[in-house]
Amino acid sequence: MNDKVYKLIEVTGTSTTTLEEAIQNAVARSAETVRNLRWFEVVETRGAIQDGQVAQWQVTVKIGFALED
């Protein structure tokens, strides 16, 4: 069967340096426990402030993965 069915999960990755690293952290951690990851979509971006400075980036992503046959 060539047509796939996908399921979505939603996770939030964090980073003290960049948005991109927060996304990478979310995807990499998800890949440790979920097989067949195929795509991601950024759905929310926010951060933490400490002493008037950006202290942490927080990025919520939906990750799609193919259900196994």
Side-chain angles (χ1 to χ4, degrees):
M1 174 186 218
N2 290 334
D3 296 327
K4 297 289 184 187
V5 174
Y6 297 91
K7 181 167 178 63
L8 291 174
I9 57 173
E10 189 170 280
V11 297
T12 300
T14 64
S15 170
T16 56
T17 56
T18 67
L19 291 168
E20 290 84 2
E21 185 174 274
I23 294 167
Q24 290 286 352
N25 290 340
V27 171
R29 179 65 181 95
S30 296
E32 291 178 14
T33 58
V34 179
R35 294 187 302 271
N36 302 320
L37 299 183
R38 295 292 187 253
W39 54 268
F40 73 91
E41 172 188 359
V42 174
V43 295
E44 186 174 46
T45 305
R46 62 184 173 278
I49 300 170
Q50 186 174 33
D51 299 324
Q53 301 291 320
V54 173
Q56 182 184 62
W57 295 98
Q58 302 168 352
V59 180
T60 300
V61 295
K62 288 184 180 178
I63 298 176
F65 62 95
L67 296 178
E68 294 179 345
D69 293 335

Short mmCIF file of all heavy atoms in Angstrom, two decimals:
data_model
loop_
_atom_site.label_atom_id
_atom_site.label_comp_id
_atom_site.label_asym_id
_atom_site.label_seq_id
_atom_site.Cartn_x
_atom_site.Cartn_y
_atom_site.Cartn_z
N MET A 1 0.85 -1.18 0.00
CA MET A 1 0.00 0.00 0.00
C MET A 1 0.89 1.24 0.00
O MET A 1 1.73 1.42 0.88
CB MET A 1 -0.90 -0.04 1.24
CG MET A 1 -1.73 1.19 1.43
SD MET A 1 -2.61 1.08 3.01
CE MET A 1 -4.12 1.80 2.55
N ASN A 2 0.71 2.11 -0.98
CA ASN A 2 1.52 3.31 -1.10
C ASN A 2 0.95 4.51 -0.36
O ASN A 2 1.69 5.41 0.01
CB ASN A 2 1.71 3.68 -2.57
CG ASN A 2 2.61 2.68 -3.28
OD1 ASN A 2 3.43 2.03 -2.64
ND2 ASN A 2 2.44 2.54 -4.57
N ASP A 3 -0.35 4.55 -0.17
CA ASP A 3 -0.96 5.67 0.53
C ASP A 3 -0.75 5.51 2.02
O ASP A 3 -0.96 4.44 2.58
CB ASP A 3 -2.46 5.74 0.22
CG ASP A 3 -2.73 6.03 -1.25
OD1 ASP A 3 -1.92 6.75 -1.85
OD2 ASP A 3 -3.73 5.53 -1.77
N LYS A 4 -0.32 6.58 2.68
CA LYS A 4 -0.01 6.53 4.11
C LYS A 4 -1.10 7.22 4.91
O LYS A 4 -1.82 8.07 4.42
CB LYS A 4 1.32 7.24 4.39
CG LYS A 4 2.52 6.62 3.73
CD LYS A 4 2.86 5.30 4.37
CE LYS A 4 4.12 4.73 3.75
NZ LYS A 4 4.40 3.39 4.21
N VAL A 5 -1.17 6.85 6.17
CA VAL A 5 -2.02 7.53 7.15
C VAL A 5 -1.08 8.08 8.21
O VAL A 5 -0.15 7.41 8.64
CB VAL A 5 -3.05 6.56 7.78
CG1 VAL A 5 -3.82 7.24 8.89
CG2 VAL A 5 -4.00 6.03 6.71
N TYR A 6 -1.32 9.32 8.61
CA TYR A 6 -0.43 10.00 9.54
C TYR A 6 -1.15 10.32 10.85
O TYR A 6 -2.36 10.50 10.88
CB TYR A 6 0.09 11.31 8.93
CG TYR A 6 0.92 11.08 7.70
CD1 TYR A 6 0.35 11.06 6.44
CD2 TYR A 6 2.29 10.85 7.80
CE1 TYR A 6 1.11 10.83 5.31
CE2 TYR A 6 3.06 10.62 6.68
CZ TYR A 6 2.46 10.62 5.43
OH TYR A 6 3.22 10.38 4.32
N LYS A 7 -0.37 10.40 11.91
CA LYS A 7 -0.86 10.83 13.21
C LYS A 7 -0.04 12.03 13.63
O LYS A 7 1.13 12.15 13.27
CB LYS A 7 -0.70 9.70 14.23
CG LYS A 7 -1.23 10.07 15.61
CD LYS A 7 -1.34 8.84 16.49
CE LYS A 7 -1.82 9.19 17.88
NZ LYS A 7 -3.15 9.76 17.93
N LEU A 8 -0.65 12.93 14.41
CA LEU A 8 0.03 14.12 14.90
C LEU A 8 0.28 14.03 16.39
O LEU A 8 -0.57 13.55 17.14
CB LEU A 8 -0.82 15.36 14.66
CG LEU A 8 -1.02 15.83 13.23
CD1 LEU A 8 -2.02 16.98 13.21
CD2 LEU A 8 0.29 16.27 12.64
N ILE A 9 1.44 14.54 16.80
CA ILE A 9 1.70 14.78 18.21
C ILE A 9 2.09 16.25 18.33
O ILE A 9 2.47 16.88 17.34
CB ILE A 9 2.82 13.88 18.78
CG1 ILE A 9 4.13 14.06 18.00
CG2 ILE A 9 2.39 12.43 18.81
CD1 ILE A 9 5.32 13.33 18.61
N GLU A 10 1.95 16.80 19.50
CA GLU A 10 2.34 18.19 19.73
C GLU A 10 3.32 18.23 20.89
O GLU A 10 3.03 17.70 21.97
CB GLU A 10 1.10 19.04 20.03
CG GLU A 10 1.38 20.51 20.07
CD GLU A 10 0.10 21.32 20.14
OE1 GLU A 10 -0.54 21.53 19.09
OE2 GLU A 10 -0.25 21.73 21.26
N VAL A 11 4.48 18.81 20.65
CA VAL A 11 5.53 18.90 21.67
C VAL A 11 6.10 20.31 21.69
O VAL A 11 5.99 21.05 20.70
CB VAL A 11 6.65 17.87 21.44
CG1 VAL A 11 6.14 16.45 21.55
CG2 VAL A 11 7.33 18.09 20.11
N THR A 12 6.73 20.67 22.80
CA THR A 12 7.37 21.97 22.92
C THR A 12 8.86 21.76 23.20
O THR A 12 9.23 21.11 24.17
CB THR A 12 6.74 22.81 24.04
OG1 THR A 12 5.36 23.00 23.75
CG2 THR A 12 7.42 24.16 24.17
N GLY A 13 9.69 22.31 22.32
CA GLY A 13 11.13 22.27 22.50
C GLY A 13 11.61 23.60 23.06
O GLY A 13 11.01 24.64 22.81
N THR A 14 12.70 23.56 23.80
CA THR A 14 13.25 24.78 24.38
C THR A 14 14.73 24.92 24.03
O THR A 14 15.40 23.93 23.73
CB THR A 14 13.09 24.81 25.92
OG1 THR A 14 13.86 23.74 26.48
CG2 THR A 14 11.63 24.67 26.32
N SER A 15 15.20 26.15 24.09
CA SER A 15 16.62 26.44 23.87
C SER A 15 16.94 27.78 24.51
O SER A 15 16.11 28.70 24.50
CB SER A 15 16.93 26.51 22.38
OG SER A 15 18.24 27.01 22.16
N THR A 16 18.13 27.91 25.02
CA THR A 16 18.57 29.19 25.56
C THR A 16 19.27 30.02 24.50
O THR A 16 19.66 31.16 24.77
CB THR A 16 19.54 28.98 26.75
OG1 THR A 16 20.63 28.17 26.33
CG2 THR A 16 18.82 28.33 27.92
N THR A 17 19.41 29.48 23.27
CA THR A 17 20.15 30.22 22.25
C THR A 17 19.30 30.65 21.05
O THR A 17 19.32 31.82 20.69
CB THR A 17 21.37 29.42 21.75
OG1 THR A 17 20.94 28.14 21.29
CG2 THR A 17 22.39 29.24 22.86
N THR A 18 18.58 29.70 20.38
CA THR A 18 17.86 30.07 19.15
C THR A 18 16.54 29.33 19.01
O THR A 18 16.33 28.27 19.60
CB THR A 18 18.70 29.75 17.89
OG1 THR A 18 18.83 28.33 17.76
CG2 THR A 18 20.06 30.42 17.92
N LEU A 19 15.68 29.92 18.19
CA LEU A 19 14.42 29.25 17.84
C LEU A 19 14.69 27.94 17.09
O LEU A 19 14.04 26.93 17.34
CB LEU A 19 13.57 30.15 16.94
CG LEU A 19 12.99 31.40 17.56
CD1 LEU A 19 12.42 32.32 16.48
CD2 LEU A 19 11.92 31.03 18.56
N GLU A 20 15.64 27.98 16.17
CA GLU A 20 15.96 26.80 15.39
C GLU A 20 16.42 25.65 16.28
O GLU A 20 16.05 24.50 16.06
CB GLU A 20 17.02 27.11 14.33
CG GLU A 20 16.54 28.00 13.21
CD GLU A 20 16.59 29.49 13.55
OE1 GLU A 20 17.05 29.86 14.66
OE2 GLU A 20 16.15 30.29 12.72
N GLU A 21 17.22 25.96 17.29
CA GLU A 21 17.68 24.92 18.19
C GLU A 21 16.52 24.36 19.01
O GLU A 21 16.46 23.15 19.28
CB GLU A 21 18.76 25.45 19.13
CG GLU A 21 19.35 24.35 20.01
CD GLU A 21 20.52 24.84 20.83
OE1 GLU A 21 21.64 24.83 20.30
OE2 GLU A 21 20.31 25.22 22.00
N ALA A 22 15.57 25.19 19.38
CA ALA A 22 14.39 24.72 20.10
C ALA A 22 13.60 23.73 19.24
O ALA A 22 13.13 22.70 19.73
CB ALA A 22 13.51 25.89 20.53
N ILE A 23 13.47 24.03 17.95
CA ILE A 23 12.78 23.12 17.03
C ILE A 23 13.56 21.82 16.91
O ILE A 23 12.99 20.73 16.99
CB ILE A 23 12.60 23.78 15.64
CG1 ILE A 23 11.66 24.97 15.74
CG2 ILE A 23 12.09 22.76 14.62
CD1 ILE A 23 11.66 25.86 14.51
N GLN A 24 14.87 21.92 16.71
CA GLN A 24 15.71 20.73 16.60
C GLN A 24 15.60 19.87 17.85
O GLN A 24 15.52 18.63 17.76
CB GLN A 24 17.18 21.12 16.37
CG GLN A 24 17.47 21.73 15.03
CD GLN A 24 17.45 20.70 13.90
OE1 GLN A 24 17.38 19.49 14.11
NE2 GLN A 24 17.51 21.19 12.68
N ASN A 25 15.57 20.48 19.02
CA ASN A 25 15.46 19.73 20.27
C ASN A 25 14.13 18.99 20.35
O ASN A 25 14.08 17.84 20.78
CB ASN A 25 15.63 20.67 21.47
CG ASN A 25 17.05 21.17 21.60
OD1 ASN A 25 17.98 20.59 21.06
ND2 ASN A 25 17.22 22.26 22.32
N ALA A 26 13.05 19.65 19.93
CA ALA A 26 11.73 19.00 19.94
C ALA A 26 11.69 17.80 19.00
O ALA A 26 11.20 16.73 19.36
CB ALA A 26 10.64 20.01 19.56
N VAL A 27 12.22 17.98 17.80
CA VAL A 27 12.21 16.89 16.81
C VAL A 27 13.13 15.75 17.24
O VAL A 27 12.75 14.58 17.19
CB VAL A 27 12.59 17.42 15.41
CG1 VAL A 27 12.78 16.27 14.42
CG2 VAL A 27 11.52 18.39 14.90
N ALA A 28 14.32 16.09 17.70
CA ALA A 28 15.28 15.06 18.09
C ALA A 28 14.77 14.23 19.26
O ALA A 28 14.89 13.00 19.27
CB ALA A 28 16.63 15.70 18.44
N ARG A 29 14.20 14.89 20.24
CA ARG A 29 13.67 14.15 21.41
C ARG A 29 12.50 13.27 20.99
O ARG A 29 12.37 12.13 21.45
CB ARG A 29 13.27 15.13 22.51
CG ARG A 29 12.69 14.48 23.74
CD ARG A 29 13.75 13.60 24.44
NE ARG A 29 13.18 12.96 25.61
CZ ARG A 29 12.67 11.74 25.62
NH1 ARG A 29 12.63 11.02 24.52
NH2 ARG A 29 12.17 11.23 26.73
N SER A 30 11.63 13.76 20.12
CA SER A 30 10.50 12.97 19.64
C SER A 30 10.99 11.74 18.88
O SER A 30 10.41 10.66 19.00
CB SER A 30 9.59 13.82 18.75
OG SER A 30 9.03 14.87 19.50
N ALA A 31 12.05 11.91 18.11
CA ALA A 31 12.58 10.80 17.32
C ALA A 31 13.13 9.67 18.19
O ALA A 31 13.27 8.54 17.72
CB ALA A 31 13.68 11.31 16.38
N GLU A 32 13.41 9.95 19.45
CA GLU A 32 13.90 8.91 20.36
C GLU A 32 12.81 7.91 20.74
O GLU A 32 13.11 6.78 21.09
CB GLU A 32 14.46 9.54 21.64
CG GLU A 32 15.74 10.31 21.42
CD GLU A 32 16.25 10.97 22.69
OE1 GLU A 32 15.76 10.62 23.80
OE2 GLU A 32 17.12 11.85 22.60
N THR A 33 11.55 8.34 20.66
CA THR A 33 10.46 7.46 21.11
C THR A 33 9.37 7.21 20.06
O THR A 33 8.52 6.35 20.28
CB THR A 33 9.78 8.03 22.38
OG1 THR A 33 9.29 9.33 22.10
CG2 THR A 33 10.76 8.09 23.54
N VAL A 34 9.41 7.93 18.95
CA VAL A 34 8.38 7.77 17.91
C VAL A 34 9.08 7.45 16.60
O VAL A 34 10.04 8.13 16.21
CB VAL A 34 7.53 9.05 17.77
CG1 VAL A 34 6.49 8.87 16.67
CG2 VAL A 34 6.86 9.42 19.08
N ARG A 35 8.59 6.44 15.91
CA ARG A 35 9.17 6.05 14.62
C ARG A 35 8.44 6.77 13.48
O ARG A 35 7.34 7.26 13.63
CB ARG A 35 9.05 4.55 14.41
CG ARG A 35 9.89 3.73 15.38
CD ARG A 35 9.85 2.24 15.01
NE ARG A 35 8.53 1.68 15.00
CZ ARG A 35 7.92 1.13 16.06
NH1 ARG A 35 8.51 1.12 17.23
NH2 ARG A 35 6.71 0.61 15.94
N ASN A 36 9.08 6.79 12.34
CA ASN A 36 8.48 7.24 11.08
C ASN A 36 8.10 8.72 11.07
O ASN A 36 7.11 9.11 10.45
CB ASN A 36 7.26 6.39 10.71
CG ASN A 36 7.59 4.93 10.58
OD1 ASN A 36 8.64 4.57 10.05
ND2 ASN A 36 6.73 4.08 11.09
N LEU A 37 8.88 9.58 11.75
CA LEU A 37 8.60 11.02 11.70
C LEU A 37 8.73 11.50 10.27
O LEU A 37 9.67 11.12 9.56
CB LEU A 37 9.57 11.79 12.60
CG LEU A 37 9.56 11.46 14.09
CD1 LEU A 37 10.54 12.37 14.82
CD2 LEU A 37 8.18 11.58 14.68
N ARG A 38 7.80 12.35 9.84
CA ARG A 38 7.82 12.80 8.44
C ARG A 38 7.88 14.31 8.29
O ARG A 38 8.45 14.82 7.34
CB ARG A 38 6.57 12.28 7.70
CG ARG A 38 6.53 10.78 7.56
CD ARG A 38 7.64 10.31 6.63
NE ARG A 38 7.50 8.90 6.36
CZ ARG A 38 8.31 7.97 6.86
NH1 ARG A 38 9.29 8.29 7.66
NH2 ARG A 38 8.13 6.70 6.56
N TRP A 39 7.23 15.09 9.13
CA TRP A 39 7.19 16.54 8.96
C TRP A 39 6.87 17.21 10.29
O TRP A 39 6.47 16.57 11.24
CB TRP A 39 6.17 16.94 7.90
CG TRP A 39 4.80 16.39 8.13
CD1 TRP A 39 4.30 15.22 7.64
CD2 TRP A 39 3.76 16.96 8.93
NE1 TRP A 39 3.02 15.03 8.09
CE2 TRP A 39 2.66 16.09 8.88
CE3 TRP A 39 3.65 18.12 9.67
CZ2 TRP A 39 1.47 16.34 9.55
CZ3 TRP A 39 2.46 18.36 10.34
CH2 TRP A 39 1.39 17.48 10.26
N PHE A 40 7.09 18.52 10.33
CA PHE A 40 6.72 19.30 11.50
C PHE A 40 6.12 20.64 11.06
O PHE A 40 6.36 21.10 9.95
CB PHE A 40 7.91 19.53 12.45
CG PHE A 40 8.92 20.52 11.94
CD1 PHE A 40 8.82 21.86 12.25
CD2 PHE A 40 9.98 20.10 11.15
CE1 PHE A 40 9.74 22.77 11.79
CE2 PHE A 40 10.91 20.99 10.69
CZ PHE A 40 10.80 22.34 11.00
N GLU A 41 5.35 21.23 11.97
CA GLU A 41 4.74 22.54 11.73
C GLU A 41 4.85 23.33 13.03
O GLU A 41 4.42 22.87 14.09
CB GLU A 41 3.27 22.34 11.37
CG GLU A 41 2.46 23.62 11.30
CD GLU A 41 0.97 23.35 11.12
OE1 GLU A 41 0.56 22.18 11.04
OE2 GLU A 41 0.22 24.34 11.10
N VAL A 42 5.45 24.51 12.96
CA VAL A 42 5.54 25.38 14.13
C VAL A 42 4.17 26.00 14.37
O VAL A 42 3.60 26.62 13.46
CB VAL A 42 6.60 26.47 13.94
CG1 VAL A 42 6.59 27.45 15.10
CG2 VAL A 42 7.98 25.85 13.78
N VAL A 43 3.61 25.80 15.56
CA VAL A 43 2.28 26.33 15.85
C VAL A 43 2.29 27.44 16.90
O VAL A 43 1.32 28.18 17.01
CB VAL A 43 1.29 25.21 16.29
CG1 VAL A 43 1.06 24.25 15.14
CG2 VAL A 43 1.78 24.48 17.51
N GLU A 44 3.38 27.56 17.65
CA GLU A 44 3.44 28.60 18.67
C GLU A 44 4.89 28.90 19.01
O GLU A 44 5.71 27.98 19.10
CB GLU A 44 2.69 28.15 19.92
CG GLU A 44 2.57 29.21 20.99
CD GLU A 44 1.68 28.75 22.14
OE1 GLU A 44 1.84 27.61 22.62
OE2 GLU A 44 0.82 29.55 22.54
N THR A 45 5.19 30.17 19.17
CA THR A 45 6.53 30.58 19.58
C THR A 45 6.38 31.52 20.76
O THR A 45 5.57 32.44 20.73
CB THR A 45 7.25 31.33 18.43
OG1 THR A 45 7.26 30.51 17.28
CG2 THR A 45 8.66 31.69 18.83
N ARG A 46 7.15 31.25 21.79
CA ARG A 46 7.14 32.12 22.96
C ARG A 46 8.48 31.98 23.65
O ARG A 46 9.34 31.24 23.20
CB ARG A 46 6.00 31.76 23.92
CG ARG A 46 6.09 30.36 24.48
CD ARG A 46 4.89 30.02 25.36
NE ARG A 46 4.97 28.64 25.73
CZ ARG A 46 4.59 27.61 24.97
NH1 ARG A 46 4.08 27.83 23.78
NH2 ARG A 46 4.71 26.38 25.40
N GLY A 47 8.66 32.69 24.74
CA GLY A 47 9.93 32.60 25.45
C GLY A 47 9.79 33.04 26.89
O GLY A 47 8.76 33.55 27.32
N ALA A 48 10.87 32.84 27.60
CA ALA A 48 10.94 33.25 29.00
C ALA A 48 11.87 34.46 29.10
O ALA A 48 12.86 34.56 28.37
CB ALA A 48 11.47 32.11 29.86
N ILE A 49 11.53 35.36 30.00
CA ILE A 49 12.31 36.56 30.22
C ILE A 49 12.89 36.51 31.62
O ILE A 49 12.19 36.17 32.58
CB ILE A 49 11.43 37.82 30.06
CG1 ILE A 49 10.86 37.87 28.65
CG2 ILE A 49 12.23 39.08 30.40
CD1 ILE A 49 9.80 38.93 28.46
N GLN A 50 14.17 36.86 31.72
CA GLN A 50 14.82 36.91 33.01
C GLN A 50 15.71 38.15 33.04
O GLN A 50 16.53 38.37 32.14
CB GLN A 50 15.66 35.65 33.24
CG GLN A 50 16.26 35.54 34.61
CD GLN A 50 16.94 34.20 34.80
OE1 GLN A 50 17.49 33.63 33.86
NE2 GLN A 50 16.90 33.69 36.00
N ASP A 51 15.52 38.97 34.07
CA ASP A 51 16.29 40.21 34.21
C ASP A 51 16.22 41.09 32.97
O ASP A 51 17.21 41.68 32.53
CB ASP A 51 17.76 39.90 34.54
CG ASP A 51 17.91 39.15 35.85
OD1 ASP A 51 17.13 39.43 36.80
OD2 ASP A 51 18.79 38.27 35.93
N GLY A 52 15.03 41.15 32.35
CA GLY A 52 14.82 42.01 31.20
C GLY A 52 15.41 41.50 29.90
O GLY A 52 15.43 42.23 28.90
N GLN A 53 15.87 40.26 29.87
CA GLN A 53 16.48 39.67 28.68
C GLN A 53 15.79 38.36 28.33
O GLN A 53 15.25 37.69 29.20
CB GLN A 53 17.97 39.38 28.93
CG GLN A 53 18.80 40.58 29.29
CD GLN A 53 18.96 41.53 28.11
OE1 GLN A 53 19.14 41.10 26.97
NE2 GLN A 53 18.88 42.83 28.37
N VAL A 54 15.84 38.01 27.06
CA VAL A 54 15.33 36.71 26.65
C VAL A 54 16.23 35.63 27.24
O VAL A 54 17.43 35.62 27.01
CB VAL A 54 15.29 36.57 25.11
CG1 VAL A 54 14.91 35.16 24.71
CG2 VAL A 54 14.32 37.58 24.51
N ALA A 55 15.62 34.76 28.04
CA ALA A 55 16.39 33.71 28.70
C ALA A 55 16.20 32.35 28.05
O ALA A 55 17.06 31.47 28.16
CB ALA A 55 16.00 33.62 30.18
N GLN A 56 15.06 32.16 27.38
CA GLN A 56 14.78 30.86 26.78
C GLN A 56 13.74 31.01 25.68
O GLN A 56 12.78 31.75 25.81
CB GLN A 56 14.24 29.90 27.84
CG GLN A 56 13.96 28.50 27.35
CD GLN A 56 13.34 27.63 28.42
OE1 GLN A 56 12.25 27.94 28.90
NE2 GLN A 56 14.04 26.58 28.80
N TRP A 57 13.97 30.29 24.59
CA TRP A 57 13.00 30.19 23.51
C TRP A 57 12.19 28.92 23.72
O TRP A 57 12.73 27.88 24.10
CB TRP A 57 13.70 30.10 22.15
CG TRP A 57 14.46 31.35 21.82
CD1 TRP A 57 15.80 31.56 21.99
CD2 TRP A 57 13.93 32.54 21.29
NE1 TRP A 57 16.12 32.83 21.59
CE2 TRP A 57 14.98 33.46 21.15
CE3 TRP A 57 12.65 32.94 20.91
CZ2 TRP A 57 14.81 34.73 20.65
CZ3 TRP A 57 12.47 34.21 20.42
CH2 TRP A 57 13.54 35.09 20.28
N GLN A 58 10.88 29.01 23.49
CA GLN A 58 9.98 27.86 23.61
C GLN A 58 9.17 27.78 22.32
O GLN A 58 8.46 28.73 21.97
CB GLN A 58 9.06 28.03 24.81
CG GLN A 58 9.81 28.21 26.12
CD GLN A 58 8.91 28.67 27.24
OE1 GLN A 58 7.75 29.00 27.04
NE2 GLN A 58 9.46 28.72 28.45
N VAL A 59 9.28 26.67 21.62
CA VAL A 59 8.60 26.51 20.34
C VAL A 59 7.75 25.25 20.37
O VAL A 59 8.26 24.15 20.59
CB VAL A 59 9.62 26.43 19.18
CG1 VAL A 59 8.91 26.27 17.86
CG2 VAL A 59 10.52 27.67 19.16
N THR A 60 6.46 25.42 20.17
CA THR A 60 5.55 24.27 20.11
C THR A 60 5.40 23.87 18.65
O THR A 60 5.15 24.72 17.79
CB THR A 60 4.19 24.61 20.73
OG1 THR A 60 4.39 24.98 22.09
CG2 THR A 60 3.23 23.43 20.65
N VAL A 61 5.59 22.59 18.39
CA VAL A 61 5.49 22.06 17.03
C VAL A 61 4.53 20.87 17.00
O VAL A 61 4.44 20.11 17.96
CB VAL A 61 6.86 21.63 16.47
CG1 VAL A 61 7.78 22.82 16.30
CG2 VAL A 61 7.52 20.58 17.32
N LYS A 62 3.83 20.76 15.90
CA LYS A 62 3.09 19.54 15.61
C LYS A 62 4.01 18.69 14.74
O LYS A 62 4.61 19.20 13.79
CB LYS A 62 1.79 19.84 14.85
CG LYS A 62 0.73 20.50 15.69
CD LYS A 62 -0.54 20.69 14.88
CE LYS A 62 -1.60 21.35 15.74
NZ LYS A 62 -2.83 21.58 14.96
N ILE A 63 4.13 17.43 15.09
CA ILE A 63 4.97 16.53 14.33
C ILE A 63 4.10 15.41 13.77
O ILE A 63 3.34 14.79 14.52
CB ILE A 63 6.10 15.94 15.21
CG1 ILE A 63 7.00 17.09 15.70
CG2 ILE A 63 6.91 14.91 14.43
CD1 ILE A 63 8.08 16.65 16.65
N GLY A 64 4.21 15.19 12.48
CA GLY A 64 3.44 14.13 11.84
C GLY A 64 4.31 12.90 11.63
O GLY A 64 5.48 13.02 11.27
N PHE A 65 3.73 11.75 11.91
CA PHE A 65 4.45 10.51 11.64
C PHE A 65 3.51 9.50 10.99
O PHE A 65 2.31 9.53 11.19
CB PHE A 65 5.08 9.92 12.92
CG PHE A 65 4.11 9.53 14.00
CD1 PHE A 65 3.65 8.23 14.12
CD2 PHE A 65 3.67 10.48 14.91
CE1 PHE A 65 2.78 7.88 15.13
CE2 PHE A 65 2.79 10.13 15.91
CZ PHE A 65 2.33 8.83 16.02
N ALA A 66 4.11 8.67 10.14
CA ALA A 66 3.33 7.68 9.39
C ALA A 66 3.02 6.49 10.28
O ALA A 66 3.90 5.97 10.97
CB ALA A 66 4.10 7.23 8.17
N LEU A 67 1.77 6.07 10.27
CA LEU A 67 1.40 4.86 10.98
C LEU A 67 1.94 3.66 10.20
O LEU A 67 1.96 3.67 8.96
CB LEU A 67 -0.12 4.75 11.12
CG LEU A 67 -0.78 5.85 11.95
CD1 LEU A 67 -2.30 5.65 11.97
CD2 LEU A 67 -0.24 5.88 13.37
N GLU A 68 2.38 2.67 10.93
CA GLU A 68 2.95 1.50 10.26
C GLU A 68 1.85 0.64 9.64
O GLU A 68 0.72 0.59 10.13
CB GLU A 68 3.75 0.67 11.28
CG GLU A 68 4.97 1.42 11.77
CD GLU A 68 5.77 0.65 12.78
OE1 GLU A 68 5.25 -0.35 13.34
OE2 GLU A 68 6.92 1.04 13.04
N ASP A 69 2.21 -0.02 8.53
CA ASP A 69 1.25 -0.90 7.84
C ASP A 69 0.95 -2.11 8.70
O ASP A 69 1.70 -2.57 9.49
CB ASP A 69 1.83 -1.36 6.50
CG ASP A 69 1.95 -0.17 5.54
OD1 ASP A 69 1.21 0.82 5.70
OD2 ASP A 69 2.82 -0.25 4.63
#
